[in-house]
Amino acid sequence: THISSAVSAALRALPLFMKKQMNHDKTGRNAQRILLHAQHIADPIRYPKDASPASSLITISDDGPSTPSPSSFLKRFSPTAVQNFFSKRKRREDDFDSPQPKPAKRQYRTTDSETKLVAGMPEPIGFHQYLYDLDRFKIYIPLSLFTNANLRSLNRNAGSLSLRKINPLETRVKPPQVLDTDAFQKRHTKEEDLVFHLWLEAARNF
């Protein structure tokens, strides 16, 4: 939340690298506030001063990639190729003597259970199925996987993460694949490298 609309407009007009740098600085100051608040709760006599509220980050818009127009796609084909395609398709349709049954009506997934995001709202924290699989197969889960940044990375990049096969719990069953926690920690924060405020953050999410 900013002071006024003029300040908000000025922040939106900043270059992207300046917004990222300001958000990086705000994140560091917020981490210090978390540490000061934890010290105040643990020992209010030694640390009588409590932390001020955390400052909000600057919203960074993320425009998606543009979709090529249909005309640019059709330019790849010559008029003769397009004509031959539709003529062959018509001949195949004429080969059927009886009318084809109508396809079933497509069922669309409802969005009632989805969380609506508004500008300035942080991305919600969610727990990917990979974490539940590690727990189900009794595999140790490093605490570093539960920081806010790593939880978001699991949900955002799940399709490209490294997996490893493990021995199945039952015989004659295909070996299941689970998240390779060692490979994940090499690309992200390791459990033994967690600083104090990240340890508190991961412990709250665990």
Side-chain angles (χ1 to χ4, degrees):
T1 304
H2 304 299
I3 299 175
S4 64
S5 58
V7 175
S8 299
L11 291 175
R12 287 196 298 269
L14 291 174
L16 179 59
F17 77 93
M18 293 185 65
K19 293 180 181 179
K20 290 184 176 181
Q21 182 60 44
M22 292 181 68
N23 282 345
H24 177 75
D25 297 340
K26 285 174 177 285
T27 301
R29 290 194 294 270
N30 287 340
Q32 293 296 327
R33 290 187 178 97
I34 293 174
L35 175 59
L36 182 59
H37 179 68
Q39 292 173 338
H40 174 73
I41 295 299
D43 192 351
I45 298 177
R46 185 177 180 183
Y47 302 96
K49 185 178 179 180
D50 198 358
S52 59
S55 61
S56 58
L57 301 181
I58 301 174
T59 303
I60 299 177
S61 60
D62 186 12
D63 299 330
S66 58
T67 304
S69 61
S71 59
S72 62
F73 174 76
L74 293 176
K75 287 180 181 178
R76 304 177 187 177
F77 303 95
S78 63
T80 304
V82 175
Q83 184 178 3
N84 291 337
F85 171 78
F86 284 104
S87 62
K88 292 179 180 178
R89 180 177 179 181
K90 188 177 185 306
R91 286 198 300 270
R92 287 198 300 269
E93 292 176 352
D94 294 340
D95 290 339
F96 295 96
D97 297 330
S98 59
Q100 297 297 313
K102 294 182 178 180
K105 187 177 180 181
R106 179 177 295 179
Q107 299 292 330
Y108 294 95
R109 182 174 60 88
T110 62
T111 58
D112 298 335
S113 60
E114 294 184 355
T115 303
K116 295 182 179 180
L117 300 180
V118 296
M121 177 181 177
E123 184 179 353
I125 301 298
F127 300 92
H128 196 271
Q129 183 62 39
Y130 285 160
L131 297 175
Y132 293 101
D133 291 341
L134 291 172
D135 179 70
R136 181 162 60 95
F137 292 108
K138 311 300 182 184
I139 299 176
Y140 177 76
I141 307 176
L143 187 63
S144 58
L145 269 66
F146 290 92
T147 63
N148 292 347
N150 286 347
L151 287 175
R152 292 190 178 103
S153 180
L154 276 172
N155 287 289
R156 190 185 306 113
N157 307 315
S160 60
L161 297 177
S162 299
L163 304 178
R164 64 184 181 92
K165 292 183 178 180
I166 61 172
N167 294 328
L169 300 178
E170 302 175 0
T171 57
R172 299 182 181 180
V173 177
K174 184 179 179 181
Q177 289 187 327
V178 297
L179 177 68
D180 189 342
T181 55
D182 293 335
F184 184 88
Q185 289 190 102
K186 287 181 180 179
R187 297 177 55 185
H188 301 82
T189 309
K190 294 183 179 180
E191 185 178 47
E192 57 268 24
D193 295 335
L194 286 176
V195 295
F196 182 75
H197 73 273
L198 289 180
W199 187 92
L200 289 176
E201 180 181 278
R204 286 195 298 265
N205 295 330
F206 186 78

